[in-house]
Amino acid sequence: MTRLTDLPAWQALQAHHDAVKDVHLRELFAQDARRGERLSAEGAGLYLDYSKHRVTDETLTLLRQLAQETGVAQKRDAMFAGEQINVTEGRAVLHVALRAPRDAVINVDGKNVVPEVHEVLDRMAAFAEQVRGGVWLGDTGKRIRNIVNIGIGGSDLGPVMAYEALKHYSDRALTLRFVSNVDATDLLEKVRDLDPAETLFIISSKTFTTQETMTNAHSARTWLLNTLKDDTAVARHFVAVSTNAAEVQKFGIDTANMFGFWDWVGGRYSMDSAIGLSLMLAVGPQQFRELLSGFHDMDEHFRNAPPEQNLPMLMGLIGLWYNNFFDACSVAVLPYDQYLAYFSAYLQQLDMESNGKHVTLDGETVDYQTGPIIWGQPGTNGQHAFYQLIHQGTKLIPCDFIGFCQSLNPLPPHHDLLMANVFAQTEALAFGKTLEQVLAEGVTPELAPHRVFEGNRPTSTILADKLTPRTLGALIALYEHKVFVQGAVWNINSFDQWGVELGKVLAKKIAAELDSQDEPQLSHDSSTNTLIGRYRSRRTS
Ligand code: F6P
């Protein structure tokens, strides 16, 4: 197989980069009065302005050619068709089936999986209605008022992000908490003000063997039984979301209260499966289905929109342009909506666990950069923290600005001020301020260099009308598919995560050594042995 860097489109992009790398966005906008309208696309209720990117029409043509030469569309179709594209685990990758309408047909090994998906959704909905309606009661007959999701990674980040994002639509009589860290502080701080008799734990774990989750689940059980005393209480206060019925049963949860999903759903792609149960409890089945519709809208857009209008294609390819040709190593995701406080953290797992790979599908070590570092936090807070570096630092950091035309909390003048900052930041980053402009403002020549903004700092702006469950679904799916496009071009497996294994194995071994009463024979390097020794001699118990 031809190496990616030897492909005609890659070579052409390299030469093109040498020719255009210093062209300023000021010039590009001056050359085309309609650039702002022209370089935009719309799909699934999201409007993408990509005009403030350092791209020309030729750049975009070459990037699309690269997608063609690397078979992105064929790979996308293979995913939607249920082929085993996760080759290192021998699995299909079908999170798109989780939001397929009831009458869709998606086969895995010759079996249509859509009916099973809807069967689980219907069971989740029935359970959610029971809890929300006060029909499902705790062991002492009290109504459930607190929901605690225990999970980590994909079994936590999606639910917590989406719960925060859709809080406006949630039942405020319910208290939702999310416990993930194996640090007992996480669990104990989250339950300290809760009444066990009114608390329902959802143990969310695809494997039901994850150390952090199982440790927290057992401690939560102890916490509950300290008050409720009787083991049988577990049945009314614990439900499970997992693919592993045997382990769920072993823990003591009735499998009648288990909501399943499938090995073709990756953890970081699972928030729209039963892993979203806590969210469904918070916002209700109707809104949860709206969320799924939003995901599906974007799936259809990704599948059918032509490449020039295709949002995930555009974002994936433009991201790759900076990552591989400008050597930009990170992307800042900056949502201008407080409800999206956890969005960047969610995207960190989605993108970095998917595309943090250095070996191709053929087992070759890559000779090009793969997944970028994803970071960010909601505006406008970041403006008073790290934006200085984005504006005037030495690193090129492409940014995604995300904003909404309507506020869910319309309190004048807040929303206009918030959005004014979105538009101001992207304008300032693109166009900056020249030395001439600074001097013309009367700044002294000594101070002037410090006041110059080079500009030419690229941004995407994603605008939607309003943050609704449907918009959120579309937004998440946009990023899922952006990650897919990049992984497809890089020819890596975006759907395994072997890189997290070694640390897990070593932690298990070291935990056993810490647990030992005798001085264990430490077989690590001298640094690790010394650290373990110091910890053992000074720990509290
Ligand atoms: O961090 C590795 C990982 O396997 C993630 O991919 C996954 O989302 C997380 O652990 C949690 O796994 P589980 O849902 O099986 O507990």
Side-chain angles (χ1 to χ4, degrees):
M1 218 185 124
T2 318
R3 288 183 85 85
L4 175 61
T5 47
D6 291 334
L7 288 176
W10 189 280
Q11 298 272 318
L13 278 161
Q14 196 66 66
H16 174 67
H17 176 258
D18 292 342
V20 301
K21 64 178 188 298
D22 296 323
V23 174
H24 202 286
L25 281 165
R26 289 185 205 119
E27 290 169 62
L28 295 175
F29 273 85
Q31 284 160 14
D32 175 4
R34 292 191 53 251
R35 183 179 169 93
E37 299 146 56
R38 211 166 56 76
L39 299 195
S40 68
E42 210 164 345
L46 304 180
Y47 175 86
L48 170 69
D49 174 354
Y50 60 96
S51 64
K52 293 194 184 88
H53 279 294
R54 292 163 68 169
V55 294
T56 64
D57 289 349
E58 189 185 349
T59 321
L60 295 166
T61 305
L62 290 174
L63 286 168
R64 286 195 297 270
Q65 194 183 318
L66 182 67
Q68 205 170 20
E69 288 176 14
T70 50
V72 174
Q74 288 84 339
K75 290 177 182 175
R76 172 198 63 199
D77 295 344
M79 172 173 75
F80 276 87
E83 288 179 28
Q84 288 197 351
I85 62 166
N86 177 356
V87 290
T88 59
E89 295 179 312
R91 290 176 185 168
V93 174
L94 268 182
H95 41 278
V96 293
L98 298 171
R99 52 263 194 159
R102 245 176 235 281
D103 56 357
V105 177
I106 301 176
N107 288 318
V108 176
D109 299 329
K111 185 178 169 217
N112 181 15
V113 297
V114 178
E116 291 175 63
V117 166
H118 282 273
E119 195 229 323
V120 174
L121 278 172
D122 291 344
R123 282 187 54 229
M124 287 165 64
F127 177 70
E129 295 293 18
Q130 282 190 20
V131 174
R132 287 165 62 87
V135 176
W136 178 284
L137 299 173
D139 192 55
T140 64
K142 279 191 169 178
R143 199 174 168 146
I144 297 295
R145 300 197 185 279
N146 316 309
I147 316 282
V148 182
N149 184 76
I150 297 183
I152 198 163
S155 301
D156 166 71
L157 288 162
V160 71
M161 177 276 289
Y163 166 66
E164 289 295 331
L166 300 180
K167 206 177 237 172
H168 178 80
Y169 303 88
S170 70
D171 179 348
R172 303 296 179 130
L174 288 172
T175 296
L176 270 284
R177 300 270 162 84
F178 297 85
V179 175
S180 53
N181 198 334
V182 75
D183 184 341
T185 302
D186 197 11
L187 174 68
L188 297 182
E189 286 291 344
K190 301 262 170 67
V191 297
R192 62 179 300 137
D193 57 343
L194 305 184
D195 174 359
E198 297 183 338
T199 302
L200 176 77
F201 289 96
I202 304 176
I203 312 303
S204 298
S205 174
K206 182 175 168 181
T207 54
F208 230 72
T209 55
T210 303
Q211 185 195 54
E212 293 90 334
T213 300
M214 297 327 296
T215 307
N216 278 322
H218 282 283
S219 298
R221 198 171 190 272
T222 306
W223 174 82
L224 184 97
L225 295 179
N226 277 345
T227 308
L228 299 187
K229 309 293 181 203
D230 189 350
D231 266 13
T232 58
V234 170
R236 303 301 298 172
H237 293 269
F238 278 78
V239 298
V241 177
S242 186
T243 57
N244 190 344
E247 284 298 324
V248 168
Q249 210 158 18
K250 221 154 103 192
F251 180 84
I253 297 176
D254 185 350
T255 46
N257 301 327
M258 167 182 158
F259 300 88
F261 58 114
W262 306 270
D263 69 359
W264 40 260
V265 183
R268 54 195 174 274
Y269 297 89
S270 66
M271 62 151 292
D272 46 349
S273 70
I275 288 291
L277 182 63
S278 51
L279 174 68
M280 190 193 266
L281 282 158
V283 300
Q286 179 75 21
Q287 299 289 20
F288 192 83
R289 286 188 195 278
E290 275 291 299
L291 174 86
L292 298 185
S293 303
F295 272 99
H296 182 66
D297 292 343
M298 184 54 75
D299 294 343
E300 289 297 292
H301 170 84
F302 181 43
R303 223 147 64 122
N304 300 316
E308 322 73 71
Q309 290 294 319
N310 194 305
L311 270 57
M313 279 280 198
L314 284 162
M315 283 181 59
L317 294 173
I318 293 172
L320 200 133
W321 173 234
Y322 297 114
N323 191 68
N324 292 98
F325 297 93
F326 283 86
D327 292 329
C329 60
S330 81
V331 175
V333 180
L334 308 166
Y336 278 64
D337 192 301
Q338 192 59 32
Y339 285 124
L340 291 180
Y342 290 79
F343 194 61
S344 317
Y346 170 77
L347 291 185
Q348 277 179 335
Q349 187 201 14
L350 176 66
D351 203 320
M352 294 165 78
E353 199 165 84
S354 294
N355 284 343
K357 313 286 162 65
H358 73 287
V359 169
T360 67
L361 285 166
D362 316 300
E364 303 281 333
T365 300
V366 296
D367 58 354
Y368 45 86
Q369 287 294 318
T370 60
I373 298 159
I374 305 294
W375 60 287
Q377 58 161 286
T380 56
N381 299 15
Q383 290 173 205
H384 299 272
F386 53 78
Y387 277 39
Q388 165 65 36
L389 186 146
I390 304 179
H391 279 285
Q392 284 190 317
T394 53
K395 293 175 178 59
L396 180 70
I397 302 175
C399 305
D400 292 351
F401 283 76
I402 301 170
F404 298 91
C405 298
Q406 297 154 34
S407 172
L408 292 171
N409 292 299
L411 175 66
H414 288 262
H415 199 62
D416 286 348
L417 290 180
L418 180 71
M419 294 307 291
N421 276 284
V422 173
F423 307 135
Q425 287 298 327
T426 62
E427 186 178 0
L429 286 164
F431 301 102
K433 202 187 238 188
T434 63
L435 182 63
E436 294 70 42
Q437 286 172 313
V438 173
L439 290 171
E441 284 172 1
V443 177
T444 61
E446 296 75 46
L447 205 51
H450 301 276
R451 304 284 296 267
V452 168
F453 287 71
E454 284 174 344
N456 220 14
R457 318 247 160 166
T459 60
S460 290
T461 303
I462 299 168
L463 266 189
D465 287 348
K466 195 167 157 183
L467 179 54
T468 62
R470 197 162 187 140
T471 320
L472 181 70
L475 191 61
I476 300 167
L478 167 62
Y479 279 94
E480 286 180 349
H481 297 321
K482 178 215 110 169
V483 167
F484 180 90
V485 168
Q486 297 189 335
V489 173
W490 292 325
N491 194 31
I492 54 177
N493 184 358
S494 302
F495 302 104
D496 62 12
Q497 58 285 318
W498 300 106
V500 299
E501 291 305 320
L502 180 59
K504 281 189 198 172
V505 172
L506 288 176
K508 221 174 188 174
K509 181 174 173 208
I510 294 174
E513 290 168 355
L514 296 182
D515 197 33
S516 153
Q517 291 312 308
D518 318 318
E519 194 62 41
Q521 284 288 47
L522 296 176
S523 57
H524 308 273
D525 58 276
S526 62
S527 159
T528 311
N529 284 344
T530 309
L531 290 167
I532 293 173
R534 187 174 171 90
Y535 171 75
R536 279 176 57 93
S537 68
R538 287 163 179 251
R539 66 181 164 185
T540 43
S541 59

